[in-house]
Amino acid sequence: MKKYFAVIIALIGLAVIIFITRPAPDRTSQTPQTFPSSTEGLPEAVMPQVVRLQGGDTFELRAFPVKKTIAGKEVRLLSYNGSIPGPILVAPQGSEVTINLKNEIGIPTTLHSHGVRLDNAFDGVPGVTQKEIAHGETFTYKVRFPDAGVFWYHPHMREDYSQELGMYGNYLISPLSDDFWLKADEEIPLFFDDLLLGENGLEPFYTDHVDRTLMGRFGNVMFTNGSTEYSTNVAKGSVVRFFMTNSSNTRVYNLSIPGVKLKLVGADGGKYEREQFVDSIILAPSERAIVEVLFNKPGSYRIMHTGPQANYVMGKIDVADTPGTPSPEKAAKFEAVGTNEDVIKDIDSFRLYFNKPADKRIAFTIDMMGMMQGGSMMNMMSSDGHNDHSHGAMMGAVSAGIEWEDHMPEMNRLSTDEYPSWKIVDQDSGKQNMDIVWNFKKGDVVKVSVFNDPNSMHPMQHPLHFHGQRFLILSRNGVRTTNFVWKDTALIQAGETVELLVDMSNPGTWMAHCHIAEHLHSGMMFGFNVEE
Ligand SMILES: [Cu+2]
């Protein structure tokens, strides 16, 4: 054990030395250009609108820069329709709406409707499903919503910059049946995000390259719904349903509201099979959680992000001591833990596939210098290392599965989309990243085994997102999931082997990728086709 640990430490040390002494990347341009940071003439960011759409409606979405004061500094951010987050688009399940996106952010963009099983042509992947939208141009998206729950939209170009600066918004898709959710007094969407501020405002972003690709850009200022001091008021006795989304580039949150019970009822693609009370919720970039809370006692409640190294107050909820409407009946309904027979029934037709062997096996790793390429790391991976528990234990000592903070800020800052190279490796074909193209037929149910190599040069978590489809997380390190929910993103911790069962129901040419924006730009993506 100690020997392995020493070897890992030595390898990391060697990588650091090579990294620091490496020749500067050949960038023929003199000084790297940064994106504009001036706020002159920009409108002030406004509060997001709630927009109720019906099937067939058309909505105009305009992306443009705004200014906002954060921690005493006025900074230039990017908005949809002037707000951060963008408008909350509420639409009925089964509807299709038209969204005209006008791009005025100064660089090309697209709109990706995350988790929405829409027509492939409107998935927003530049060069795959559409031509990029140049500054000044408009693209028309037809977005259909087969599933109820919380989804979101964001760009699929330079996410590290444009999504980071505020380009994200929710779709709240209301269910067809009235009894899909518990009757709540309020529904509140919450976007959790962070921003990296330096002495002179936002830390710069470069036009010609993506930086901080090693760990992703961690912020040092926390944001809930675009505010560093988010607060909301609810009436005493209210049941509130929170729709939580993590729009951070890389930060994972561990969320709780001390003093009240959290009832976890849903995630990315709708409801869980069974509701459950939880102490906290781990939310990786792009994941969603649907949580119900009964506020029966007056007071000021904090939304906390509690990490192993630091705690953050993400916002507060004030419950006034006014005569609200606490009712024993409502409390009893909230306390009851429901079973969702509709979800169980929907998943029933997939259970026969749970125990089949994996159809596809991928591994996450990193090439920090090409030094390990084809060498010991590949051998470790192919020697069935994903079943070797000693690797997991070693990972525990080195990285503890999740990187909660940027513990190597200087090294992270110096990493770019050119170097190092993050990799998704197809363990059967040996292909990597965009060389991987899987072919399926509509209706295929595909088991994908994902191994996150704890012995790589930089073991860390990766949230894996599949476009256009839904999947179940079958197991983690061989332990079967006991309460299923449809997902579009799975957090794969360092050292974990996670089995996914993907319902390939939506034809088209799609992407799967790590949702850490900087990792995506470092290459962590691949393609798959679903034939009609
Ligand atoms: Cu990643």
Side-chain angles (χ1 to χ4, degrees):
M1 191 71 228
K2 273 188 187 147
K3 191 183 71 187
Y4 281 125
F5 187 73
V7 168
I8 287 294
I9 293 297
L11 285 174
I12 290 171
L14 184 58
V16 169
I17 291 161
I18 291 169
F19 184 83
I20 289 167
T21 58
R22 80 195 200 277
D26 178 31
R27 299 197 191 285
T28 37
S29 61
Q30 330 68 7
T31 326
Q33 292 288 304
T34 56
F35 282 113
S37 56
S38 168
T39 55
E40 210 182 311
L42 296 181
E44 197 76 45
V46 297
M47 295 293 287
Q49 269 182 291
V50 178
V51 182
R52 289 177 196 283
L53 299 169
Q54 293 302 318
D57 283 357
T58 297
F59 184 67
E60 305 296 328
L61 198 60
R62 189 162 73 91
F64 61 92
V66 292
K67 65 181 177 186
K68 193 174 173 96
T69 301
I70 299 160
K73 296 183 178 77
E74 191 180 71
V75 296
R76 180 185 187 275
L77 299 175
L78 297 173
S79 76
Y80 288 114
N81 288 9
S83 66
I84 296 167
I88 299 159
L89 303 182
V90 183
Q93 182 182 7
S95 66
E96 182 179 276
V97 302
T98 301
I99 297 174
N100 294 320
L101 173 63
K102 180 155 199 216
N103 173 20
E104 295 176 5
I105 64 167
I107 57 164
T109 194
T110 60
L111 187 86
H112 173 57
S113 293
H114 186 115
V116 180
R117 297 189 292 158
L118 43 49
D119 275 345
N120 187 234
F122 306 110
D123 192 40
V125 179
V128 177
T129 65
Q130 70 168 101
K131 201 170 131 281
E132 59 187 42
I133 313 169
H135 177 87
E137 287 182 356
T138 299
F139 188 91
T140 298
Y141 292 91
K142 302 266 184 201
V143 187
R144 68 170 147 83
F145 303 104
D147 305 303
V150 57
F151 304 90
W152 65 300
Y153 55 90
H154 64 73
H156 222 283
M157 298 185 72
R158 284 307 300 260
E159 301 86 324
D160 68 296
Y161 162 68
S162 56
Q163 182 190 301
E164 176 67 353
L165 289 194
M167 288 173 70
Y168 49 81
N170 274 134
Y171 296 116
L172 290 187
I173 307 307
S174 36
L176 291 173
S177 68
D178 284 345
D179 59 356
F180 187 87
W181 300 119
L182 174 75
K183 201 173 160 357
D185 299 286
E186 280 196 66
E187 293 190 324
I188 301 179
L190 296 173
F191 262 111
F192 299 107
D193 200 358
D194 59 356
L195 266 180
L196 184 59
L197 286 178
E199 302 230 320
N200 307 308
L202 289 172
E203 281 290 299
F205 296 84
Y206 298 96
T207 58
D208 66 337
H209 71 280
V210 175
D211 71 354
R212 295 181 167 87
T213 57
L214 183 58
M215 302 157 76
R217 184 179 287 236
F218 278 89
N220 52 10
V221 175
M222 300 299 136
F223 265 70
T224 298
N225 288 357
S227 172
T228 52
E229 284 168 29
Y230 173 80
S231 74
T232 190
N233 299 297
V234 305
K236 190 172 72 178
S238 299
V239 170
V240 180
R241 183 158 39 251
F242 293 101
F243 295 99
M244 302 174 170
T245 308
N246 180 352
S247 57
S248 305
N249 285 14
T250 192
R251 186 179 293 274
V252 177
Y253 296 90
N254 178 35
L255 299 158
S256 62
I257 308 176
V260 292
K261 287 169 83 174
L262 303 180
K263 190 167 160 185
L264 180 63
V265 298
D268 301 357
K271 292 188 290 191
Y272 276 91
E273 288 181 308
R274 278 172 292 280
E275 300 172 343
Q276 54 186 320
F277 285 103
V278 297
D279 294 326
S280 69
I281 293 147
I282 290 183
L283 206 61
S286 90
E287 283 189 307
R288 280 90 65 214
I290 306 172
V291 180
E292 291 168 353
V293 176
L294 169 66
F295 291 100
N296 241 352
K297 293 199 184 99
S300 187
Y301 297 86
R302 293 167 307 155
I303 306 169
M304 295 297 300
H305 161 40
T306 308
Q309 286 98 33
N311 301 333
Y312 303 91
V313 178
M314 300 301 297
K316 68 183 174 80
I317 301 151
D318 289 317
V319 182
D321 196 9
T322 49
T325 51
S327 85
E329 195 194 359
K330 201 192 271 183
K333 273 197 180 144
F334 174 76
E335 290 294 337
V337 176
T339 296
N340 295 311
E341 296 297 341
D342 50 344
V343 179
I344 292 170
K345 207 170 153 229
D346 181 27
I347 292 172
D348 273 348
S349 54
F350 294 87
R351 292 184 211 273
L352 71 147
Y353 303 105
F354 283 11
N355 292 320
K356 73 165 173 169
D359 300 291
K360 297 287 179 188
R361 300 185 307 136
I362 54 174
F364 297 155
T365 187
I366 186 170
D367 180 0
M368 303 240 347
M369 200 47 214
M371 60 180 288
M372 299 286 277
Q373 214 167 26
S376 53
M377 185 165 57
M378 293 306 288
N379 292 337
M380 268 187 249
M381 273 159 35
S382 57
S383 68
D384 208 24
H386 54 288
N387 286 329
D388 184 344
H389 293 294
S390 70
H391 291 180
M394 193 153 55
M395 166 280 298
V398 175
S399 77
I402 294 176
E403 232 158 38
W404 296 93
E405 301 287 344
D406 185 348
H407 55 85
M408 297 190 292
E410 197 52 19
M411 188 157 165
N412 193 24
R413 189 178 65 80
L414 291 170
S415 61
T416 71
D417 48 350
E418 199 169 38
Y419 181 89
S421 306
W422 280 105
K423 289 184 193 307
I424 299 174
V425 183
D426 184 321
Q427 293 182 286
D428 299 308
S429 69
K431 289 185 176 169
Q432 299 181 354
N433 294 344
M434 282 308 281
D435 287 339
I436 304 170
V437 181
W438 292 343
N439 291 297
F440 306 112
K441 289 197 176 63
K442 184 180 169 182
D444 283 355
V445 178
V446 178
K447 190 190 265 196
V448 182
S449 174
V450 188
F451 168 55
N452 188 353
D453 185 5
N455 300 316
S456 82
M457 296 306 294
H458 189 90
M460 69 177 284
Q461 74 283 0
H462 301 280
L464 178 64
H465 170 49
F466 279 79
H467 283 212
Q469 319 296 331
R470 59 180 188 170
F471 61 79
L472 300 170
I473 298 175
L474 286 185
S475 69
R476 291 184 182 272
N477 293 331
V479 179
R480 173 61 54 80
T481 304
T482 54
N483 186 12
F484 289 104
V485 63
W486 288 108
K487 296 278 293 172
D488 55 60
T489 305
L491 173 63
I492 320 283
Q493 297 192 22
E496 268 189 325
T497 295
V498 177
E499 286 184 316
L500 311 176
L501 193 71
V502 191
D503 173 19
M504 295 292 177
S505 54
N506 196 5
T509 302
W510 306 96
M511 307 283 304
H513 61 85
C514 175
H515 218 284
I516 293 177
E518 292 80 4
H519 287 184
L520 169 59
H521 285 283
S522 166
M524 282 193 98
M525 57 181 148
F526 65 94
F528 66 99
N529 299 308
V530 180
E531 251 179 73
E532 182 68 65

